[in-house]
Amino acid sequence: VTFAPLYLSHLCVNACHYCGFRRDNPAVRRCHLDTDTLRAEVEILAGTIGHKRLIVVYGEHPSSGIDYMVDTIRTIYSVKVPTKRGYGQIRRVNVNAPPLPVEELKALAEVGVGTYQVFQETYDRRAYARLHPPDTLKGHFRWRLYTMHRALEAGIDDVGLGALFGLADWRLEVMGLVYHARELERVFGIGPHTISFPRIEPAVNTPLASSPPSPVSDDTFRHLVTVIRLAVPYTGMILTARENAGVRRALIPLGITQTDASSRIGVGAYTEQAPKQDERQQFLLGDTRSLDEVVGELARMGYITSFCTAGYRCGRTGKCIMDLLRSGAEGRFCKLNAVLTFREWLDDFASDETKTAGEQV
């Protein structure tokens, strides 16, 4: 499964020592998307590139609070763009956002949010305290830790966990993710819909991001991805374009199920003709290949890229999807739709080379 990140705001009240968007970083130009620019960004993502899923990213700031989140998600879902044989549209809006109270999470559930992601960053309490100043909203470890509990209580069916590897001992982070998943299973009967494991990357004017406290080598990264895959076999596993193409090529066969492509992480970057990795980005990307290039490579590796989102619209979320995933039955629902949506994407968006590879697989 592929997706694209869509950053809606640079504004943030936090001061995380590893983040380019921290409030005290004067090197970052600040802005957030208005409705017209947002629609233009989505038209490119859905109508030119061919994405069906987004992960929208909000900073923790009053200007991008719950009302802004709800309005922008509605706008994203409303955009339809004519293509060669039909139309392009974003069908699944996943959200990477700050921890929210139950009342605001209910508003996200009502607007039809997909997976709600909040990464703990690090499960090491001491490291967390060093990296997140106590006078900031993000300085409250337990408020962040129990976000997924509140989201499931609020009626959001699918939640996503993650840790930023490089901030503390990777073994502690892996165990934190596994135990977090088990706690959700114990309390709610369902675990995380996805687990992400980004490695810290350099960011403008952010020395700690260039020299992380606990760097993770490529070999160790392969090890920890494998452990998570075995420990939480039902979950979707997200490997992002933070990693370079070679690392992604090597890790996908270990059980990765989702990855981004054509990724631009500057606010308003998709509407630019020649975007740069500059002072508007939270970090530097390792893989800037287009969706067409990534889909073509996956096809040559023997993989069908699924653009299907029918299961979510049919209610196969939450406990329903978990029961199917745990039993292995989900493939009987998804495989045919994967083929059909792959064919649709090839007809509407693929280059000749990618179309040939896709038809072969």
Side-chain angles (χ1 to χ4, degrees):
V1 169
T2 55
F3 66 95
L6 177 58
Y7 278 67
L8 280 86
S9 175
H10 292 129
L11 300 168
C12 190
V13 300
N14 293 310
C16 311
H17 296 334
Y18 49 85
C19 182
F21 286 173
R22 66 188 184 281
R23 68 187 184 192
D24 57 351
N25 186 358
V28 172
R29 291 187 288 136
R30 312 284 175 168
C31 65
H32 70 274
L33 291 184
D34 58 26
T35 300
D36 290 341
T37 308
L38 174 59
R39 292 187 68 88
E41 295 267 291
V42 177
E43 286 173 0
I44 290 172
L45 286 160
T48 303
I49 299 172
H51 278 293
K52 302 292 185 187
R53 304 166 186 246
L54 297 182
I55 176 74
V56 292
V57 184
Y58 300 93
E60 192 159 14
H61 191 272
S63 67
S64 53
I66 188 61
D67 292 339
Y68 179 75
M69 292 182 193
V70 168
D71 289 345
T72 50
I73 291 169
R74 284 188 179 134
T75 297
I76 291 167
Y77 279 135
S78 72
V79 174
K80 292 185 178 182
V81 185
T83 59
K84 292 178 182 176
R85 296 195 178 188
Y87 61 86
Q89 185 179 22
I90 301 301
R91 297 295 189 93
R92 173 86 168 175
V93 180
N94 302 320
V95 171
N96 187 317
L100 298 171
V102 171
E103 295 74 20
E104 294 183 358
L105 289 163
K106 287 180 179 178
L108 282 186
E110 290 169 2
V111 81
V113 69
T115 303
Y116 174 64
Q117 287 184 350
V118 174
F119 298 166
Q120 191 62 25
E121 315 294 14
T122 177
Y123 287 89
D124 184 323
R125 290 288 298 262
R126 290 170 297 180
Y128 192 96
R130 289 195 303 269
L131 296 164
H132 306 97
D135 64 334
T136 62
L137 290 173
K138 201 166 178 176
H140 299 279
F141 182 89
R142 288 178 63 86
W143 173 250
R144 193 170 190 87
L145 185 65
Y146 282 90
T147 302
M148 302 294 98
H149 287 62
R150 296 193 300 276
L152 290 166
E153 290 169 2
I156 294 176
D157 285 341
D158 298 328
V159 298
L161 307 180
L164 181 55
F165 283 88
L167 300 180
D169 188 326
W170 67 269
R171 291 161 292 195
L172 187 149
E173 308 293 20
V174 168
M175 294 307 295
L177 290 168
V178 171
Y179 273 86
H180 202 161
R182 290 184 178 180
E183 169 68 4
L184 294 178
E185 291 174 352
R186 184 187 70 81
V187 176
F188 298 98
I190 60 174
H193 192 70
T194 57
I195 292 179
S196 301
F197 26 85
R199 281 192 290 185
I200 192 167
E201 296 292 339
V204 63
N205 195 36
T206 307
L208 187 143
S210 297
S211 300
S214 300
V216 174
S217 69
D218 288 354
D219 285 345
T220 298
F221 196 47
R222 287 170 58 86
H223 186 168
L224 71 87
V225 167
T226 305
V227 170
I228 295 171
R229 175 75 288 166
L230 293 170
V232 196
Y234 57 79
T235 196
M237 291 183 57
I238 299 176
L239 181 67
T240 72
R242 285 174 178 261
E243 304 298 335
N244 64 49
V247 169
R248 300 219 285 177
R249 195 177 300 118
L251 264 61
I252 284 172
L254 300 180
I256 301 302
T257 59
Q258 298 187 31
T259 191
D260 54 326
S262 293
S263 299
R264 299 181 181 180
I265 58 173
V267 174
Y270 290 105
T271 51
E272 294 183 354
Q273 294 299 313
K276 299 177 180 178
Q277 301 221 42
D278 60 15
E279 67 273 16
R280 293 171 306 161
Q281 295 189 175
Q282 189 179 20
F283 53 86
L284 298 181
L285 291 171
D287 188 354
T288 58
R289 289 177 299 163
S290 69
L291 177 60
D292 182 84
E293 290 174 292
V294 170
V295 170
E297 178 179 84
L298 289 171
R300 289 186 290 275
M301 293 170 67
Y303 294 104
I304 291 169
T305 302
S306 174
F307 293 90
C308 179
T309 57
Y312 304 118
R313 299 195 301 280
C314 294
R316 292 201 298 275
T317 57
K319 189 175 187 304
C320 177
I321 188 68
M322 283 293 163
D323 290 344
L324 292 169
L325 288 167
R326 286 182 178 130
S327 66
E330 178 63 10
R332 295 201 296 272
F333 289 86
C334 289
K335 190 165 290 185
L336 178 59
N337 282 349
V339 172
L340 291 171
T341 57
F342 187 44
R343 173 80 263 179
E344 179 184 55
W345 185 88
L346 292 173
D347 288 342
D348 274 341
F349 301 103
S351 64
D352 291 342
E353 182 180 4
T354 295
K355 191 171 184 179
T356 298
E359 287 172 342
Q360 288 174 352
V361 73

